[in-house]
Amino acid sequence: MKSYEVNFDGLVGPTHNYGGLSYGNVASQSNSQQSSNPKEAALQGLAKMKALMEMGFQQGVLAPQERPDVAALRRLGFSGSDAQVIERAAKDAMPLLVASCSASSMWVANAATVSPSADTADGRVHFTAANLNCKYHRSIEHPTTSRVLGAMFADQKHFAHHAALPAVAQFGDEGAANHTRFCRDYGQAGVEFFVFGRSAFDTRYPAPQKYPARQTLEASQAVARLHGLSEDGVVYAQQNPSVIDQGVFHNDVIAVGNGEVLFYHEDAFLETDKMLAELQAKLGKRGGNFQSICVPRSQVTVEDAVRSYLFNSQLLSRADGSMLLIVPEECRGNERVWQYLQGLTSSGGLIREVKVFDLKQSMQNGGGPACLRLRVALNQTELAAVNPGVIMTAPLYDTLTQWVDKHYRDRLSENDLADPQLLLECRTALDELTQILKLGAVYPFQIN
Ligand code: SUG
């Protein structure tokens, strides 16, 4: 049976703004307080989805969340009508209002970890929503993420959903941003590669000194257990703490993998040779031929990688077996990175083509092409069981661009977040969206 990697891209929500909320994420910090353009952000994301669909890739869409999150503000003690909750938070605790307005759910690589049915003990596709508990504004995403994923992948015969791990730093889990799957074919058993930043319980593992390591080994192990992965099909590796301290807050900022290939920076991991040997041996037992492409620091520094998001690219398999790399415009703007990419595609290796996308609105918060998508490997039967409302088509693209044009503002600054009208605009837009995507009631304002 034919199998596919389906990319579900996060639709940017109407409150996209630069809140400076992510310590350790250089772009988020350096663009704090700039005014944003939510309309442009959403259209840039939709243009990428459309382009991939037109290239023949399977493409889906994942809905944004209800923001401002009034319920989250109520849990923090703000009371009164919804408008009063927002007004009081704006007056007494602006940073909490900003956090409750973040459109960060757009970076759906952090929504969940997904294991395809070929890897799991019960032969179903497993999802564990990420608790994202390193940052308050992201820790409030998972309940809605679970409802949205449940509405997209509803058929329990094929899909199993796990609640987010316990919400403590020891089980810090950032989802697919620290998870890659290698395989010979999407439908065959593969090797799932979990990359962690620190261990919560074992002091032998080093930790970064400056910025937080968001993902723990224990969280990755728990996800592998929940999904029923076999030991033969799992490899754990530690991210180099020194790159975390240089702004590599997720592994997908310094490495990307697909099929049998890992594309990574020389400084990305600890004990790289051991890790590569384990990947080779385990994939070999599953009939695959593991290959790696190491980008040397002499050609591209870690700083170049963080600024350009070279590795936050989408590595896609084409019908002829070659690969295509989807990179952000910032790669073209960095001379060393661009030169490296020219050399890479002309060398006759596996990666033959680079396509550049303008995702500046998301990039300015530290979210590149790979952050914006959640990969779900599905066979034909499973794909047919997905809610068809979320599969991208030319008519859906047109409907969504019209929906964005109708509901989104083209400028948002911190003061605008305090406008109670924004809440009404967002709820009206999202109510319509759940009908467009046929999701049913998934948002707190629709349920409570
Ligand atoms: O968690 N930025 C996100 C970016 C996530 C990128 N995802 C992956 N690498 N997969 C984060 O740091 C910034 C929001 C703000 O500052 O307004 C933010 O949340």
Side-chain angles (χ1 to χ4, degrees):
M1 194 186 326
K2 206 166 158 40
S3 292
Y4 310 87
E5 175 187 271
V6 189
N7 283 281
F8 290 87
D9 275 44
L11 184 56
V12 178
T15 59
H16 159 63
N17 73 96
Y18 300 116
L21 298 169
S22 278
Y23 179 66
N25 167 343
V26 178
S28 152
Q29 303 249 267
S30 51
N31 292 304
S32 173
Q33 309 287 316
Q34 273 195 35
S35 64
S36 62
N37 185 335
K39 184 176 281 186
E40 187 176 58
L43 294 176
Q44 286 175 343
L46 280 164
K48 171 164 93 75
M49 296 184 226
K50 179 173 184 253
L52 264 70
M53 174 191 72
E54 286 176 346
M55 281 184 250
F57 296 105
Q58 296 286 343
Q59 181 69 53
V61 59
L62 223 151
Q65 303 212 349
E66 178 189 344
R67 297 289 181 270
D69 188 336
V70 178
L73 289 170
R74 288 187 190 281
R75 281 201 299 282
L76 298 175
F78 299 101
S79 58
S81 65
D82 288 347
Q84 282 168 331
V85 166
I86 289 172
E87 194 186 307
R88 287 170 185 166
K91 188 166 149 280
D92 297 342
M94 195 57 189
L96 298 184
L97 177 63
V98 175
S100 83
C101 288
S102 178
S104 54
S105 67
M106 71 171 87
W107 300 298
V108 293
N110 304 117
T113 306
V114 187
S115 294
S117 56
D119 295 351
T120 62
D122 67 0
R124 294 190 293 168
V125 183
H126 282 245
F127 300 81
T128 296
N131 62 23
L132 296 172
N133 82 326
C134 180
K135 307 282 176 222
Y136 170 68
H137 71 289
R138 303 222 60 184
S139 71
I140 57 179
E141 290 174 27
H142 69 85
T144 298
T145 301
S146 289
R147 279 193 298 274
V148 173
L149 289 174
M152 295 165 68
F153 304 95
D155 187 340
Q156 291 183 19
K157 197 167 124 217
H158 297 293
F159 307 119
H161 296 273
H162 306 278
L165 297 178
V168 290
Q170 286 152 318
F171 289 107
D173 177 21
E174 301 277 320
N178 295 315
H179 172 259
T180 308
R181 177 176 185 258
F182 299 103
C183 59
R184 191 183 154 84
D185 178 90
Y186 295 120
Q188 285 178 18
V191 175
E192 300 204 15
F193 179 49
F194 289 86
V195 181
F196 59 94
R198 69 185 176 98
S199 164
F201 296 102
D202 190 335
T203 51
R204 285 172 303 177
Y205 293 93
Q209 302 294 307
K210 187 176 169 197
Y211 291 145
R214 299 194 195 184
Q215 180 89 30
T216 67
L217 169 62
E218 291 77 5
S220 300
Q221 288 169 329
V223 172
R225 270 192 299 272
L226 285 165
H227 291 195
L229 305 180
S230 78
E231 225 181 289
D232 285 356
V234 173
V235 172
Y236 298 99
Q238 183 167 9
Q239 223 185 325
N240 181 351
S242 93
V243 301
I244 296 179
D245 281 338
Q246 291 172 74
V248 182
F249 56 99
H250 289 136
N251 180 60
D252 69 3
V253 175
I254 196 100
V256 59
N258 170 42
E260 298 172 302
V261 180
L262 173 66
F263 178 61
Y264 71 102
H265 188 274
E266 185 178 0
D267 293 328
F269 305 102
L270 291 182
E271 299 194 90
T272 309
D273 291 342
K274 189 170 152 246
M275 170 198 98
L276 294 174
E278 194 180 346
L279 283 168
Q280 181 138 44
K282 288 188 168 169
L283 191 60
K285 279 196 192 148
R286 305 203 151 190
N289 172 28
F290 178 72
Q291 294 160 70
S292 57
I293 303 170
C294 175
V295 180
R297 70 177 82 86
S298 57
Q299 287 185 47
V300 174
T301 63
V302 173
E303 193 189 338
D304 288 328
V306 170
R307 284 185 188 281
S308 68
Y309 263 40
L310 165 62
F311 297 94
N312 199 261
S313 46
Q314 286 179 254
L315 186 57
L316 298 165
S317 302
R318 300 198 288 199
D320 66 358
S322 71
M323 285 190 174
L324 161 71
L325 200 64
I326 303 288
V327 302
E329 191 63 61
E330 284 71 4
C331 286
R332 188 148 51 189
N334 180 308
E335 211 177 306
R336 283 176 300 278
V337 167
W338 195 241
Q339 207 177 347
Y340 173 81
L341 284 172
Q342 302 305 302
L344 180 73
T345 47
S346 58
S347 66
L350 269 166
I351 303 177
R352 300 276 164 74
E353 194 188 354
V354 169
K355 277 200 190 295
V356 181
F357 282 81
D358 179 3
L359 297 164
K360 188 164 181 227
Q361 286 289 325
S362 167
M363 282 289 288
Q364 292 188 146
N365 252 339
C371 300
L372 286 162
R373 60 95 172 95
L374 180 67
R375 296 187 279 188
V376 185
L378 297 167
N379 64 33
Q380 259 168 336
T381 315
E382 292 155 355
L383 182 55
V386 176
N387 178 341
V390 299
I391 301 296
M392 187 54 77
T393 58
L396 179 60
Y397 170 80
D398 290 341
T399 306
L400 289 174
T401 49
Q402 284 158 18
W403 172 82
V404 168
D405 275 330
K406 177 172 156 200
H407 294 287
Y408 281 48
R409 299 190 186 188
D410 58 14
R411 193 186 143 86
L412 209 56
S413 60
E414 193 176 278
N415 287 340
D416 300 318
L417 303 178
D419 175 4
Q421 187 58 34
L422 183 66
L423 174 68
L424 296 180
E425 283 170 28
C426 292
R427 286 182 174 171
T428 306
L430 293 181
D431 213 26
E432 205 175 301
L433 183 69
T434 50
Q435 290 163 43
I436 295 171
L437 300 179
K438 303 188 174 53
L439 291 174
V442 288
Y443 297 117
F445 76 92
Q446 296 174 314
I447 299 167
N448 299 325

